[in-house]
């Protein structure tokens, strides 16, 4: 197991390094000039060159990339438009001249929103998606199976922006059954925090739960016919106990891997959901940064999303290796 852990850690480090190079390459591939954006609309050529030199953009791309990597590990000093020094602590993701603050601080201010949204949505995904798929497999061919299969079909077909606006109009504005979605810090009251995020949780969780339900149903049906499950039934275990102890564990591998990928994507920012419900999370920050040509923030949010995907996928692989020893030997 130790060797497997080391291999996965090394693979994750290599992937993250490659992603930093790709994200940094986007900085130069973009048609916008960061110096002109930082300098402002009334900036002339001489001022733009001075700002470009102050920001270090006149250095070779390789030198800038190495400086960026050093900033991620040990922090660095960034020059403002006027040449004054800005201390950017590690991990330094750059400085937003649009928001006038380090990118990491901008992300940190909005990350509690994304964390709350992602955490609640994952609970809905596990309860609705995996629970529905497992139940449908155990009740194969019955009305329950058909009903749950219809649920997965609707969830897989509907789009977040359509369902979000429709339910918001129906449940908030028309009937008043639910409060207006919004983020309230957990410290201000768990009730208000949950009430403001309940509708985004349900919408985001429902749409993504459909994929998990279909996968859980197919994996459960496949595992139910494995020899070790039939042996457990032959030894006298009830169907519920045999499936709960053996079938669920055998079917868990692909579900855990998909859940790790989904968790990484959600913690990196649920762009559409945050935009639909007006939540000021990391996803909304990324969208606004693209609109405003705020390249350092765009690169920073891309790296953050990639980091969470790599971390959660790696954790999911470790869990699968724990559940199935054959994975560690592969």
């Amino acid at each position: 197991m130790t060797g497997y852990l080391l291999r996965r850690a090394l693979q994750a480090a290599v992937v993250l390094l490659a992603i930093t190079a790709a994200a940094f390459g986007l900085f130069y591939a973009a048609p916008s000039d960061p110096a002109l954006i930082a300098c402002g609309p009334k900036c002339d050529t001489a001022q733009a060159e001075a700002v470009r030199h102050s920001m270090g953009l006149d250095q070779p791309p390789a030198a800038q990339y190495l400086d960026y990597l050093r900033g991620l590990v040990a922090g660095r000093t960034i020059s403002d438009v006027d040449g004054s020094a800005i201390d950017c602590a590690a991990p330094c993701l750059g400085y937003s001249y649009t928001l006038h603050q380090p990118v990491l601080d901008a992300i940190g201010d909005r990350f509690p929103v994304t964390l709350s949204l992602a955490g609640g949505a994952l609970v809905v995904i596990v309860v609705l998606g995996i629970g529905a798929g497992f139940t449908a497999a155990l009740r194969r061919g019955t009305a329950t199976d058909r009903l749950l299969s219809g649920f997965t079909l609707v969830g897989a077909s509907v789009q977040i922006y359509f369902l979000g606006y429709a339910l918001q109009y129906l449940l908030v504005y028309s009937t008043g059954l639910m409060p207006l979605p919004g983020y309230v810090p957990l410290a201000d009251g768990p009730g208000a925090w949950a009430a403001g995020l309940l509708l985004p949780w349900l919408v985001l969780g429902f749409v993504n739960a459909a994929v998990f339900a279909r996968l859980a149903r197919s994996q459960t049906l496949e595992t139910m016919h494995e020899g070790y499950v039939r042996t457990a039934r032959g030894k006298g275990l009830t169907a519920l106990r045999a499936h709960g102890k053996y079938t669920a564990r055998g079917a868990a591998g692909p579900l855990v891997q998909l859940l790790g990928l989904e968790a990484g994507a959600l913690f990196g920012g649920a762009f559409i959901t945050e935009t639909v419900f007006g939540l000021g999370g990391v996803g909304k920050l990324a969208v606004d940064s693209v609109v405003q040509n705020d390249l350092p923030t765009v690169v920073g949010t891309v790296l953050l999303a990639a980091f969470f995907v790599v971390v959660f996928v790696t954790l999911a692989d470790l869990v699968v290796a724990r559940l199935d020893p054959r994975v560690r030997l592969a």
Side-chain angles (χ1 to χ4, degrees):
M1 187 66 176
T2 302
Y4 180 77
L5 289 173
L6 292 176
R7 290 199 309 272
R8 293 300 293 123
L10 180 59
Q11 291 171 1
V14 172
V15 169
L16 285 174
L17 184 62
I19 291 173
T20 60
F24 197 77
L26 290 176
F27 189 89
Y28 289 95
S32 302
D33 188 347
L36 291 178
I37 296 173
C39 190
K42 298 181 180 180
C43 188
D44 57 30
T45 304
Q47 291 173 323
E49 288 300 324
V51 170
R52 188 172 288 107
H53 176 73
S54 175
M55 296 171 63
L57 297 176
D58 55 350
Q59 299 294 321
Q64 293 186 51
Y65 177 61
L66 291 177
D67 187 48
Y68 191 81
L69 289 181
R70 283 193 296 267
L72 290 176
V73 177
R76 58 185 172 133
T77 300
I78 299 175
S79 296
D80 203 346
V81 176
D82 58 1
S84 59
I86 300 173
D87 185 32
C88 186
C92 178
L93 297 177
Y95 185 83
S96 171
Y97 295 94
T98 302
L99 300 173
H100 303 290
Q101 64 179 146
V103 173
L104 186 62
D105 292 346
I107 292 175
D109 293 340
R110 295 159 178 80
F111 187 69
V113 181
T114 298
L115 177 63
S116 300
L117 177 62
L122 285 174
V123 172
V124 175
I125 288 172
V126 171
V127 173
L128 285 184
I130 299 179
F134 190 71
T135 302
L138 296 182
R139 305 286 295 174
R140 181 183 182 184
T142 65
T144 301
D145 182 21
R146 290 190 291 272
L147 179 63
L148 293 176
S149 296
F151 147 76
T152 61
L153 181 61
V154 172
S157 304
V158 74
Q159 298 295 322
I160 291 178
Y161 55 83
F162 170 78
L163 185 63
Y165 284 126
L167 290 182
Q168 194 168 204
Y169 174 79
L170 178 65
L171 299 177
V172 177
Y173 297 109
S174 294
T175 62
L177 295 177
M178 298 184 70
L180 184 68
Y183 176 72
V184 177
L186 183 60
D188 293 348
W193 170 78
L197 291 171
L198 180 58
L199 187 55
W201 284 342
L202 293 176
V203 171
L204 183 58
F206 173 74
V207 171
N208 289 281
V211 179
F212 284 85
R214 296 179 69 85
L215 181 60
R217 182 182 183 277
S218 62
Q219 287 297 126
T220 302
L221 288 174
E222 180 180 342
T223 310
M224 286 170 61
H225 299 290
E226 293 287 346
Y228 62 88
V229 178
R230 294 199 302 267
T231 300
R233 291 296 309 278
K235 290 184 176 181
L237 287 182
T238 62
L240 183 61
R241 187 173 180 184
H243 294 320
K245 185 175 182 180
Y246 296 106
T247 305
R249 181 171 180 172
L255 291 170
V256 171
Q257 290 177 325
L258 181 60
L259 187 63
L261 183 62
E262 186 68 30
L266 290 179
F267 277 88
F271 305 92
I272 299 177
T273 306
E274 292 179 10
T275 302
V276 167
F277 292 102
L279 301 175
V282 177
K284 185 67 165 54
L285 173 65
V287 173
D288 293 342
S289 300
V290 171
V291 173
Q292 298 168 359
N293 287 324
D294 187 358
L295 296 182
T297 306
V298 172
V299 173
T301 52
V302 168
L303 287 180
L304 178 77
F307 171 79
F308 278 114
V309 169
V310 171
V311 168
F312 277 103
V313 168
T314 302
L315 290 176
D317 288 344
L318 295 179
V319 172
V320 172
R322 181 66 179 177
L323 293 173
D324 189 352
R326 294 173 298 180
V327 175
R328 301 195 296 269
L329 300 177

